[in-house]
């Protein structure tokens, strides 16, 4: 099965400073986290929670594409996407 993102929910983890979203591969749930540093490239300043969520929403398609590529290389149940993934 292919990795899909049927749930558009995302949340901000202030402690870890990252946005969390979920993917699904069949019946398996896959957790993804995007670090603030990666989103800061989209916002171009020190982002607040609202900025991070807005940046995630604006780049959702690209974020999902990157998540699919990372997942295809190494199938696990969670991933942290960093600035390196967005180059």
């Amino acid at each position: 099965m292919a990795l899909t993102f049927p749930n558009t929910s995302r949340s901000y983890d202030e402690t870890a400073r990252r946005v969390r979203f979920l993917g699904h591969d069949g019946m398996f749930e896959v957790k993804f986290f995007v670090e603030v540093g990666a989103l800061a490239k989209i916002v171009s300043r020190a982002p607040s929670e609202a900025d991070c969520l807005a940046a995630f929403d604006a780049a959702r398609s690209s974020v999902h594409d990157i998540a699919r590529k990372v997942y295809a290389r190494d199938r696990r149940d969670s991933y942290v996407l960093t600035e390196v993934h967005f180059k």
Side-chain angles (χ1 to χ4, degrees), residues 19 26 28 30 32 47 52 58 61 71 78:
V19 174
F28 298 103
V30 184
F32 288 92
C52 286
S61 179
Y71 181 75
S78 70

Side-chain angles (χ1 to χ4, degrees), residues 71-86:
Y71 181 75
R73 283 193 300 250
D74 177 28
R75 293 182 178 221
R76 297 179 296 173
D77 64 354
S78 70
Y79 299 86
V80 177
L81 304 178
T82 66
E83 291 179 60
V84 172
H85 294 105
F86 288 83

Side-chain angles (χ1 to χ4, degrees), residues 3 5 16-17 19 30 36 38 41-42 49 52 56 65 68:
L3 184 66
F5 302 93
R17 296 187 38 82
V19 174
V30 184
V36 167
K41 291 181 167 223
I42 298 165
E49 175 179 348
C52 286
F56 178 88
D65 289 344
R68 283 185 191 96

